[in-house]
Amino acid sequence: MTKRVYNFYPGPATLPLPALKRAQEEFLDFQGTGMSVIEISHRSKEYDELHNAATELVRELLGVPDDYKVLWLQGGASTQFFMVPANLQVPGKPMEYVDTGTWSTKAIKEAKVYGEVNVVASSADDKFRHIPKDITFSDNAAYAHITSNNTIYGTEYHEWPDVPDDVPLVCDMSSDLMARKIDVKRFGVIYAGAQKNLGPAGVTLVVIREDLVNRAPESLPTLLKWRTEVARNSLFHTPPVFSIYMSKLALDYWNEFGGVAAIERVNREKAKILYDIIDKSNGFYKGHARKDSRSLMNVTFRLETEELEAKCVEEGRKRNLIGLKGHRSVGGMRASIYNAMTLEGVKALAEFMMEFMEENQ
Amino acid sequence: MTKRVYNFYPGPATLPLPALKRAQEEFLDFQGTGMSVIEISHRSKEYDELHNAATELVRELLGVPDDYKVLWLQGGASTQFFMVPANLQVPGKPMEYVDTGTWSTKAIKEAKVYGEVNVVASSADDKFRHIPKDITFSDNAAYAHITSNNTIYGTEYHEWPDVPDDVPLVCDMSSDLMARKIDVKRFGVIYAGAQKNLGPAGVTLVVIREDLVNRAPESLPTLLKWRTEVARNSLFHTPPVFSIYMSKLALDYWNEFGGVAAIERVNREKAKILYDIIDKSNGFYKGHARKDSRSLMNVTFRLETEELEAKCVEEGRKRNLIGLKGHRSVGGMRASIYNAMTLEGVKALAEFMMEFMEENQ
């Protein structure tokens, strides 16, 4: 039997096993074509159907209104860090950002290439342990940018900041896409690298409100304008076929699972199990994020010493609980429990954490 | 038994079957990790080894000298169309291009975003049926750009143009990478989307001479500077893991196959079989490309009428010869016989072409 572990890596991350099995089964012969899905032309009928089905699944699961476009792009969220300002800049208007950690900081750096940037709120002073409250964006901002979940610190917005009328809210949802119900209408642009909650690395989902599609200056390179791929249904050039295909199989799975409402219910249960252990551990496990900002996706915590943390990571590994080491910039431990991490996997981790505490208190 | 056809699609294209089988076998459990290769962290030891092995195989098979860097990027050759001028522009110096068809034309368009472009030679007047001879680049060009093989027209450089000292030759080798021995030292930059001769769509190979890495202006977005990924071994952000992995499996196959010398020998045999049929058909099959410019990779030809062409495509399809329709801009037929198309597949096509001619003459 194939060995499978519980994979708590922060991304690329665990994927639904039934989707992986389906991909494996049809890997040499996609739907009777006699070709692997990665060998068929992106101009073929077979690929076209797959491509459109993936888009429709995103529309349905995320609840994308008709006046929004759905794009499959390459280059990761890191590429959207500069495509957002490149497409949404307005001469004379500041681009406004909230800084909630590494990924926001990187996005801010790229926006500065294109013009004036205001960081209207930041939790840097608190080592990014919380999401700022009472965020106020300017009336004349070109756009307002937030990062909904912060993988490294384990923080996540629990409510969305208000934005002035006519200021589009842009959100990097790479690490909590489809983790909970959202109202897409609150956002002008949502983007997400696939490799945490959607599928494998190599594709980036971008959802754009129609009226923002044409804002980009004509002088940009063709592929840096979102509207190039809007006009061509993300088929202006060869798309990252496998990553879209695998995302589609995962989306099929989530659709049958009951959609985002069902995903959210399980995600809340998973997160509660781990945060309860932390909170009831009398300080053996110390949560990194402030309670009012805790992430459903990345549970970050420290132990008394670095030696004990290393021991915990290693003993977890021996029990097939993989990827529990925290990011080097925060240290400690991190359990990434994205949509595809099962309740069973979280329970196995919880059991281990209880035992480890008893043995090492 | 799994159905497999002969796949003559122009890209994404057929891949070596042993490499596909290997990927299928280990799809749920990569090297005993208990995770799919698409689930493991790109910061893990397992991925790092795979990533570096893929790079080493490119170095060995392509014969990349030590003073060249090898990058794995996203966005296809279409992204290099603007990254090349973005990185190699020099104020006051023209960027010089040879126009041999659609892909060159697209590259030229993107360069114009960055400055003055000279098209020093073109075969547009001849509907791109040949590769221009006696190409002369200026002494003060920032760089000289060519497209080694032209998928749509079925033309390919048989010898490389000379460039003045200090003018780097940049080559889009997307459609004939590793199809024949080349001397990398003739080039300043080589780039290639993977989906024809290397692996699946979603990754782009870029080979850059060291001294060109630092030419890009600091003001570019981080990821648009080649040097960002040179400094980070293509791991500045999450790489397209599956596409690199699958390319690595294909490269393993080619390495065992005997390297580029062996690939070239078979490629020449495959192309000769088809061109001989065309040349001996007394005009039943009319080659599109001029003989002195014929491609080893894309054999383009027309029949007497469009009806006959459609019939030929359809009857081929019934015999599991897939993807023989020509590009809409040229019409007619095209057999794309990239490295991974077997001699057996070409012989099956040849047999069909002979029979079709007999029956329809």
Side-chain angles (χ1 to χ4, degrees), chain B residues 273-293:
Chain B
I273 289 171
L274 298 183
Y275 286 124
D276 276 355
I277 289 178
I278 290 169
D279 291 342
K280 292 173 183 166
S281 73
N282 289 318
F284 183 80
Y285 296 116
K286 291 172 246 303
H288 177 80
R290 228 167 64 181
K291 286 188 184 179
D292 64 1
S293 302

Side-chain angles (χ1 to χ4, degrees), chain B residues 125-327:
Chain B
D125 286 352
D126 183 33
K127 291 186 181 158
F128 299 117
R129 280 191 172 85
H130 74 281
I131 301 293
K133 306 279 180 207
D134 304 322
I135 298 164
T136 307
F137 295 104
S138 315
D139 287 340
N140 73 329
Y143 62 88
H145 183 284
I146 60 172
T147 311
S148 54
N149 182 72
N150 303 279
T151 51
I152 293 174
Y153 314 95
T155 64
E156 189 174 21
Y157 283 80
H158 293 192
E159 53 193 55
W160 304 117
D162 287 322
V163 285
D165 290 347
D166 304 326
V167 175
L169 183 60
V170 178
C171 186
D172 175 0
M173 278 191 201
S174 295
S175 53
D176 65 354
L177 186 78
M178 296 186 193
R180 51 183 172 163
K181 294 277 261 183
I182 61 160
D183 178 4
V184 173
K185 282 217 168 290
R186 291 196 73 129
F187 303 90
V189 178
I190 292 168
Y191 64 93
Q195 67 269 16
K196 297 170 197 294
N197 268 321
L198 187 57
V203 71
T204 313
L205 186 73
V206 184
V207 177
I208 313 169
R209 208 176 58 215
E210 239 166 28
D211 62 297
L212 299 171
V213 166
N214 289 316
R215 205 193 261 189
E218 199 46 55
S219 60
L220 286 175
T222 305
L223 266 182
L224 291 190
K225 288 178 275 210
W226 286 324
R227 65 174 167 272
T228 298
E229 287 293 22
V230 165
R232 296 292 295 276
N233 188 26
S234 307
L235 288 164
F236 174 78
H237 70 140
T238 316
V241 170
F242 178 80
S243 298
I244 295 172
Y245 160 75
M246 197 64 232
S247 297
K248 191 260 179 191
L249 294 188
L251 290 165
D252 277 334
Y253 173 82
W254 294 124
N255 200 27
E256 285 179 33
F257 188 80
V260 174
I263 295 171
E264 176 171 358
R265 198 164 54 242
V266 178
N267 280 342
R268 293 200 181 277
E269 189 176 349
K270 281 150 51 185
K272 184 173 189 306
I273 289 171
L274 298 183
Y275 286 124
D276 276 355
I277 289 178
I278 290 169
D279 291 342
K280 292 173 183 166
S281 73
N282 289 318
F284 183 80
Y285 296 116
K286 291 172 246 303
H288 177 80
R290 228 167 64 181
K291 286 188 184 179
D292 64 1
S293 302
R294 279 176 168 172
S295 167
L296 285 175
M297 301 280 99
N298 311 95
V299 178
T300 51
F301 54 98
R302 310 241 20 185
L303 278 76
E304 192 61 35
T305 65
E306 286 186 12
E307 290 67 32
L308 199 57
E309 288 167 350
K311 185 179 175 190
C312 190
V313 168
E314 179 55 19
E315 294 202 3
R317 198 189 58 73
K318 285 181 188 159
R319 287 171 62 159
N320 286 334
L321 305 163
I322 305 296
L324 291 169
K325 194 171 188 298
H327 190 271

Side-chain angles (χ1 to χ4, degrees), chain A residues 2-5 7 9 11-15 17 20-21 23-25 27-29 32-36 38-42 44 46 74-76 78-79 82 106 109-110 113-114 195 200-203 219-224 232 236-242 246 322 328, chain B residues 2-5 7 9 11-15 17 20-21 23-25 27-29 32-36 38-42 44 46 74-76 78-79 82 106 109-110 113-114 195 200-203 219-224 232 236-242 246 322 328:
Chain A
T2 304
K3 174 189 169 191
R4 292 281 296 173
V5 299
N7 169 1
Y9 273 136
T14 194
L15 289 166
L17 188 56
L20 290 171
K21 284 184 172 166
Q24 183 182 42
E25 277 163 24
F27 194 66
L28 297 185
D29 179 11
T33 57
M35 296 172 268
S36 176
I38 59 175
E39 297 178 301
I40 60 175
S41 171
H42 61 298
S44 66
E46 291 85 1
Q74 293 186 56
S78 296
T79 292
F82 61 88
K106 283 175 185 265
K109 180 182 174 213
E110 301 309 310
V113 171
Y114 293 88
Q195 66 269 16
V203 71
S219 59
L220 286 176
T222 304
L223 266 182
L224 291 189
R232 296 293 295 276
F236 174 79
H237 70 140
T238 315
V241 169
F242 178 81
M246 197 64 233
I322 306 297
R328 61 191 177 282
Chain B
T2 304
K3 175 189 170 192
R4 292 280 297 173
V5 299
N7 170 2
Y9 273 136
T14 195
L15 289 166
L17 188 57
L20 291 170
K21 284 184 172 166
Q24 184 181 41
E25 279 163 21
F27 194 65
L28 296 185
D29 179 11
T33 56
M35 297 172 268
S36 175
I38 59 175
E39 298 178 300
I40 59 173
S41 171
H42 62 298
S44 66
E46 291 85 2
Q74 292 185 57
S78 296
T79 292
F82 60 88
K106 283 176 185 265
K109 180 181 173 215
E110 301 308 311
V113 171
Y114 293 89
Q195 67 269 16
V203 71
S219 60
L220 286 175
T222 305
L223 266 182
L224 291 190
R232 296 292 295 276
F236 174 78
H237 70 140
T238 316
V241 170
F242 178 80
M246 197 64 232
I322 305 296
R328 61 191 178 281

Side-chain angles (χ1 to χ4, degrees), chain B residues 58-75:
Chain B
V58 167
R59 287 197 167 273
E60 190 168 327
L61 284 163
L62 202 58
V64 179
D66 288 345
D67 59 335
Y68 284 69
K69 303 295 186 183
V70 173
L71 293 181
W72 300 95
L73 303 180
Q74 292 185 57

Side-chain angles (χ1 to χ4, degrees), chain A residues 157-230:
Chain A
Y157 283 80
H158 292 193
E159 52 193 56
W160 304 117
D162 287 323
V163 284
D165 290 346
D166 304 326
V167 175
L169 184 60
V170 178
C171 186
D172 175 1
M173 277 191 201
S174 295
S175 52
D176 64 355
L177 186 79
M178 296 186 192
R180 51 182 173 165
K181 293 277 262 183
I182 60 160
D183 179 5
V184 172
K185 281 216 169 293
R186 291 196 72 129
F187 302 90
V189 178
I190 292 168
Y191 64 93
Q195 66 269 16
K196 297 170 197 294
N197 267 321
L198 187 57
V203 71
T204 312
L205 186 73
V206 184
V207 177
I208 314 169
R209 207 175 61 214
E210 237 166 32
D211 63 296
L212 298 171
V213 166
N214 289 316
R215 206 194 260 189
E218 199 46 54
S219 59
L220 286 176
T222 304
L223 266 182
L224 291 189
K225 288 177 276 210
W226 286 325
R227 65 174 167 273
T228 298
E229 288 292 22
V230 166

